[in-house]
């Protein structure tokens, strides 16, 4: 009878199917290795407004080469938006975090006003394990020098991810900086205090390590009070930095804040050897302690009554602030190509998948 040969063929096919499934799992896991990671959240609320109120959204995205996201939360008169981007450029990695929040006040807002109002946003970009491969002429040098920088004019071709959720009805006064670098505020006249949830807080931490070699590239924080247009809490690499504040040429009580180019440290990475570039960029309006959790009302900002902003000085324009901080960690693109290194778990899965395929092939050949 031919039952046994057919059974052997079925078993061989079944084994092969298991291997294919196993390899599929490996491919999916390897492709989702999180060399760059971004996350953020938004929150908007007003007392007495229609549901859903308050409202909140969040994102947590990881990818091997690039991650980008932009979200927003809106109630009737309170709005918050968050965006972040982390991209492997071929010569290094660019990371940016930002957002904006504002409230509509009379006469833009009409009764019922649902006072008070509050909003919050945060955005965070982190990661990355890299390797620099020599692509220049001649013999490769032993190391590739990387520079950490917060460039004054942003990074060409890598503007913020904010445009994904900008609506035509959004206030022009609070348009994010087109080059992904700087702050903007609306409704400031120096006499009406802004609530603390409009304070913009930025923290940047950057280190690099390869084996026993560790370099602190940058650490710094600053807080910007958009009501008084002042900077506090300037620490580390932001200490002593003079930020430019200029009035908008069209809108009254609207100001733009620019950064000078801020250079951090440099790192000499051994060519062809993976190293960790821990570059973390955090920006927020209303959450400097990074404690916001929509499931915990104790972490919400307190509502604020914006009725006093209905006066000739503010002329009913929206009240709020926002902006973006962008960093660049790069080497000479004419000599080196930088790639991301998958997580160790993905590499382990690759080894297991490859071994499984080899064993299955050997077993099938023996059964014949």
């Amino acid at each position: 009878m031919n039952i046994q040969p057919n059974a052997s063929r079925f078993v061989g096919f079944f084994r092969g199917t298991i291997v294919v499934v196993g390899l599929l799992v490996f491919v999916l896991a390897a492709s989702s290795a999180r060399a760059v990671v971004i996350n953020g959240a938004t929150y908007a609320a007003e007392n007495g407004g229609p549901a859903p109120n308050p409202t909140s959204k969040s994102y947590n995205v990881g990818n091997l080469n690039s991650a980008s996201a932009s979200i927003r939360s809106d109630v009737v008169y309170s709005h918050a938006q968050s965006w972040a981007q982390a991209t492997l450029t071929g010569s290094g990695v660019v990371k940016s975090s930002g957002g904006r929040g504002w409230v509509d006040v009379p006469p833009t807002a009409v009764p019922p006003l649902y006072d008070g109002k509050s909003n919050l946003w945060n955005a965070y970009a982190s990661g990355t394990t890299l390797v620099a491969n020599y692509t220049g002429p001649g013999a490769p040098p032993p190391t590739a020098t990387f520079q950490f920088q917060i460039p004054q004019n942003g990074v060409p071709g890598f503007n913020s991810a904010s445009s994904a959720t900008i609506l035509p009805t959004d206030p022009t006064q609070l348009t994010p900086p087109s080059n992904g670098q700087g702050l903007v505020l609306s409704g400031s006249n120096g006499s009406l205090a802004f609530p603390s949830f409009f304070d913009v807080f930025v923290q940047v931490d950057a280190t690099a390590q390869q084996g026993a070699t560790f370099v602190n590239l940058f650490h710094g924080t600053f807080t910007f009070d958009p009501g008084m247009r002042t900077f506090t809490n300037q620490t580390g690499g932001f200490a002593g930095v003079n930020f430019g504040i200029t009035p908008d040429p069209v809108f009254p009580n609207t100001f733009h804040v620019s950064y000078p180019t801020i250079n951090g440290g440099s790192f000499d990475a051994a060519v062809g050897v993976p190293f960790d570039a821990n570059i973390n960029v955090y920006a927020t309006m209303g959450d400097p302690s990074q404690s916001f959790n929509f499931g915990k009302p104790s972490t919400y900002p307190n509502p604020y009554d914006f009725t006093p902003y209905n006066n000739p000085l503010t002329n009913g324009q929206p009240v709020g602030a926002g902006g973006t901080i962008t960093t660049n960690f790069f080497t000479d693109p004419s000599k080196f190509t930088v790639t991301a290194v998958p997580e160790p778990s993905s590499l382990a899965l690759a080894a297991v998948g490859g071994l499984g395929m080899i064993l299955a092939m050997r077993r099938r050949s023996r059964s014949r």
Side-chain angles (χ1 to χ4, degrees), residues 93-95 148-151 155 204 279 281 325-329:
V93 62
V94 174
K95 297 186 177 182
F148 181 82
Q149 186 179 84
I150 301 173
V155 181
V204 177
I279 302 167
V281 183
I325 180 77
T326 299
T327 68
N328 193 11
F329 182 64

Side-chain angles (χ1 to χ4, degrees), residues 216-230:
N216 189 356
L217 298 168
F218 189 91
H219 168 73
T221 64
F222 71 80
T223 300
F224 177 62
D225 180 344
M228 302 305 297
R229 304 192 294 276
T230 57

Side-chain angles (χ1 to χ4, degrees), residues 133-217:
N133 298 299
Y134 184 66
T135 54
T143 61
T145 299
F146 285 78
Q147 175 67 44
F148 181 82
Q149 186 179 84
I150 301 173
Q152 179 180 14
N153 297 315
V155 181
F158 293 92
N159 294 347
S160 71
S162 61
S163 59
T165 55
I166 292 180
L167 302 178
T169 53
D170 289 347
T172 305
Q173 297 96 319
L174 284 165
T175 300
S178 60
N179 64 354
Q181 200 74 292
L183 306 174
V184 62
L185 59 132
S186 173
S188 170
N189 58 43
S191 60
L192 289 173
F194 274 27
S196 60
F197 60 74
F198 279 140
D199 289 355
V200 177
F201 173 79
V202 170
Q203 178 171 339
V204 177
D205 298 289
T207 65
Q209 183 169 8
Q210 190 174 53
T213 302
F214 176 86
V215 174
N216 189 356
L217 298 168

Side-chain angles (χ1 to χ4, degrees), residues 3 72 82 177 307:
I3 296 177
R72 61 185 295 154
S82 166
T307 304

